[in-house]
Structures are given as C-alpha cells and as structure tokens.
Amino acid sequence: MSDTIISVKNVTKQYQATQAGGIKNISFEIKKGDVVAIIGESGSGKSTLLKSIYGLLKIDDGEIFFQNEKVKGPDEQLIPGHKQMKMVTQDFSLNIYAKVYDNIASQLSNTDLKTKAEKTNQIMEHLRISQLQNKKIIELSGGEQQRVAIAKAMVADTQVLLLDEPFSQVDALLKNQLRGDIKRVAAETGVTVILVSHDPADGLFLADQLLIIKDGKLLQTGKPAEIYQHPEHIYTARILGNAVVLNKADAEKIGLKTEKEMVVFYPEWAELKSNWDSRRFEVKDVYYKGFYDELLLERNGVLVRALQLNRGAHKKNDHVQLNIGRFLEF
Ligand code: ADP
Ligand code: MG
C-alpha cells in the first residue's frame, strides 16, 4: 500500500445539464512512478476523471487521495488543483512571447537563484530542449511547445503529471518520440504520469497500467498486455486491437461454434494456412500496413480480417484457408 500515490474511491461526477455525462462510481489505485493511460472513446469521461483527480471539479460522491491526503475540490480551497500535481492540457498555457528558459523558470521562486537555474537546466535536459532555451515559444513547432509545456509542469517538484490527450496535436513521427520521452522522463525522475487518450496506441506502448473507460464507467484496469489478451468487454477488444466482432450466426457460418452471443478475435489470432481443412475464404481486399498486409476475407457472406506477414503471398480474389486459433466469446 505504501507505494500507492493516488487512490480513487467510488468517485461519481455527474454534470447537471447532461444526466448521461460524467463518471460513475470509479475506483482504482495508482502506484508511484507508474505511467498510467486512461483510454476510452470521445465523451467517455476521461477528462472528467483527470480533472477530478487534480481537484478541478467538485465531485458528487466518493474520495480521491494523494498519498494519504484527501484531494480538495475547487470549493474547498482558494486555488484549484493540487500543488504537487500538474496538468498539461492541449492549449499548453505557455507565454508565447517569452523564451523557453523563462517559461520554465517562472515556476520556481527567486529566493535561491542557483537552484532555480540548476533545476531549469536539468529539466530542459530531461526533455531534450536545452538547445531551444533562448527561443521564444512562437518560434517553436507544436511538438517542441509540448515538450516545453511538460518541462514547465514538471520543474517545481511535481509528483504527478496529468496529461490530457498529449499526442493529439502532433504528427506520427513526433508522437513516437514524445511517447518515448514521457516514458524515459518518468523512469529517470520517478514522476507518476497519468495520461488520457482516445488513441489506444498511445497507451499500449508506454503504460504500466491501463484504465479502459466507457460511458463514465471503469470497465477494466491492469497491465496493457493482460488487458489486450484478456479483454472483459467487446468494447475493450475493439478499442485496443481493431478486433473482428461476429454474432453467433455469422461465427457459425465461418465454422466457429459458440454457446454465447458474440465471438471476438484479433486479426493476428487468425492464421493463414495453405493446406488445411475445407474452410475456404476469398481475399476481398488487401490493405498495405508496412511490414505486413491485412487481408479482408469472406466466407458465406461473412467478412473477417487476418494478417499476412508474408507480404504479397495472397492477392485479391485468391482463396485461402484460415485457422482461427483463438477467439473470445461474449
Ligand atoms: P472525454 O474526455 O472522454 O472525451 P469528458 O470527460 O470531457 O469526456 O466528458 C464526458 C461526458 O460529460 C460527455 O458526455 C460530455 O458531454 C459531458 N460533459 C463534460 N463536461 C461537461 C460540462 N462542463 N457540462 C456538461 N456536460 C459535460
Ligand atoms: Mg477529453
């Protein structure tokens, strides 16, 4: 228990205007130093949960603890937001006409100028922005601005960094870099990171813990690989892995027997075979995915997808056989 930094206990927050919005009876714990990703489709309550943890929203029910201290809501303190937590939102809230160095250093007091300079330089090194220190924010790219925003949020002994959709403004290449940076900075500094994303790739890559939320409810939490391999809901398999979802009747048309209503499998669980039994699928389309192909396959009017690692081996209109080695039933 001692390495728990955040505990969320039965937290409910409903917005008056929209009875459907908000979050409902959510409970979980976060370990100090972990990178935690909150994943869910747009409107599922991710930002509401993040703001609640930070103390920006007055929650209706439940409690949130930072270590052993209860997080105060905006009605309980003058300046909303916990002192040892920092939230970075999509607008970055940087002074765009000031220099990078000054944006970051502004978070530290002037009582000890030596420490101020040391800490500012150190965090710039961690985020690999030292070479930008004398540039103004308006002279930076979106990705560089984001690094500065994270450095600014972290410089003043921040214990928990809250990131709301940190990758939404950046291109794919930069996204990979930033993901790596966040993971590395967390490991080097021991800061706990909670990030929110509607894109599961963000979370799967770097998280120690995933939280899957839907319609304001926590569906599942755990390590990314565990959740991916053993999703408890179809929504989770869909959002994490672009899963194939079939109803019982369709499943049976392609030879999968089930007592349940739905069958779900990830494309990579379906293995292409060249000499197997009589389950014949026709290749309807081939999607180029870089180092592999994704095949759209049809049998008895049912469409499924499978991966072809041996790129180009089967083409449109070919007939292939498929071994769906593993599938989940719901
Ligand atoms: P996400 O970040 O996952 O997209 P949000 O937490 O922002 O979701 O919102 C969850 C739900 O609560 C949505 O249905 C949204 O419309 C509603 N909501 C969010 N903020 C407010 C607000 N200030 N007033 C009324 N409804 C809100
Ligand atoms: Mg949001």
Side-chain angles (χ1 to χ4, degrees):
M1 285 300 284
S2 59
D3 63 351
T4 298
I5 190 160
I6 301 280
S7 312
V8 173
K9 296 185 176 167
N10 306 106
V11 169
T12 293
K13 165 71 191 175
Q14 302 284 88
Y15 296 100
Q16 299 302 334
T18 53
Q19 285 302 318
I23 49 174
K24 297 173 198 100
N25 197 25
I26 287 190
S27 301
F28 61 92
E29 291 191 340
I30 291 176
K31 252 176 63 190
K32 188 169 166 35
D34 270 2
V35 176
V36 178
I38 302 171
I39 307 280
E41 61 194 7
S42 184
S44 55
K46 305 181 296 296
S47 296
T48 303
L49 179 55
L50 208 65
K51 287 181 197 158
S52 301
I53 293 171
Y54 188 38
L56 283 188
L57 290 176
K58 180 174 167 11
I59 56 178
D60 303 334
D61 221 339
E63 288 174 315
I64 295 165
F65 291 91
F66 171 82
Q67 284 159 344
N68 293 319
E69 162 203 347
K70 195 168 166 234
V71 174
K72 293 195 174 89
D75 53 331
E76 295 167 287
Q77 57 184 353
L78 234 44
I79 304 165
H82 192 282
K83 274 204 283 299
Q84 282 171 293
M85 299 196 225
K86 279 283 167 2
M87 185 144 118
V88 179
T89 48
Q90 286 151 15
D91 60 14
F92 302 152
S93 45
L94 296 169
N95 178 352
I96 57 168
Y97 300 111
K99 287 178 181 173
V100 167
Y101 182 96
D102 295 327
N103 263 280
I104 299 167
S106 69
Q107 300 300 297
L108 300 170
S109 96
N110 282 326
T111 49
D112 182 352
L113 291 175
K114 186 161 167 277
T115 307
K116 182 171 176 161
E118 273 169 14
K119 284 190 169 174
T120 305
N121 286 325
Q122 192 187 19
I123 200 71
M124 286 194 303
E125 268 169 42
H126 276 311
L127 270 298
R128 299 181 176 165
I129 50 172
S130 303
Q131 74 287 2
L132 304 174
Q133 59 180 297
N134 290 318
K135 287 199 169 182
K136 290 181 183 151
I137 303 300
I138 42 168
E139 298 168 338
L140 305 181
S141 71
E144 289 168 340
Q145 290 187 17
Q146 182 162 51
R147 282 172 195 236
V148 178
I150 292 173
K152 182 183 169 189
M154 284 184 63
V155 72
D157 294 323
T158 299
Q159 297 277 316
V160 178
L161 187 64
L162 305 159
L163 305 172
D164 198 345
E165 306 273 2
F167 308 118
S168 62
Q169 312 276 30
V170 300
D171 59 52
L173 202 65
L174 196 65
K175 205 167 165 164
N176 280 329
Q177 257 182 40
L178 274 171
R179 270 198 293 251
D181 284 342
I182 289 174
K183 181 91 183 163
R184 182 177 46 77
V185 168
E188 286 173 6
T189 62
V191 71
T192 305
V193 179
I194 309 176
L195 73 90
V196 153
S197 177
H198 66 277
D199 180 356
D202 298 341
L204 277 182
F205 257 100
L206 90 179
D208 298 297
Q209 183 184 359
L210 279 191
L211 296 161
I212 308 289
I213 71 166
K214 178 180 190 244
D215 299 334
K217 295 195 193 104
L218 177 62
L219 292 190
Q220 196 171 355
T221 181
K223 293 195 185 309
E226 269 167 35
I227 297 190
Y228 184 87
Q229 291 297 325
H230 306 284
E232 287 166 8
H233 298 83
I234 294 176
Y235 173 87
T236 305
R238 241 187 194 141
I239 204 166
L240 294 186
N242 189 22
V244 176
V245 179
L246 301 173
N247 62 34
K248 181 182 167 79
D250 281 352
E252 284 173 359
K253 282 185 203 162
I254 62 161
L256 299 176
K257 294 259 174 296
T258 182
E259 294 302 314
K260 303 271 185 67
E261 280 169 34
M262 306 295 282
V263 159
V264 172
F265 59 89
Y266 295 117
E268 74 270 19
W269 290 356
E271 192 187 354
L272 294 169
K273 289 275 181 176
S274 40
N275 48 11
W276 205 52
D277 73 8
S278 62
R279 294 177 192 183
R280 298 197 66 85
F281 288 78
E282 185 182 340
V283 179
K284 289 300 209 185
D285 222 331
V286 178
Y287 306 113
Y288 179 71
K289 296 276 182 178
F291 67 91
Y292 68 93
D293 293 328
E294 188 172 280
L295 302 185
L296 182 68
L297 304 167
E298 187 258 351
R299 185 185 176 207
N300 294 332
V302 179
L303 293 170
V304 301
R305 283 169 285 114
L307 305 189
Q308 172 164 266
L309 298 176
N310 187 5
R311 287 203 44 241
H314 300 288
K315 299 191 169 55
K316 199 169 167 174
N317 302 324
D318 280 358
H319 282 81
V320 298
Q321 305 185 38
L322 205 58
N323 177 21
I324 300 164
R326 182 179 168 212
F327 60 91
L328 305 169
E329 297 164 277
F330 290 91

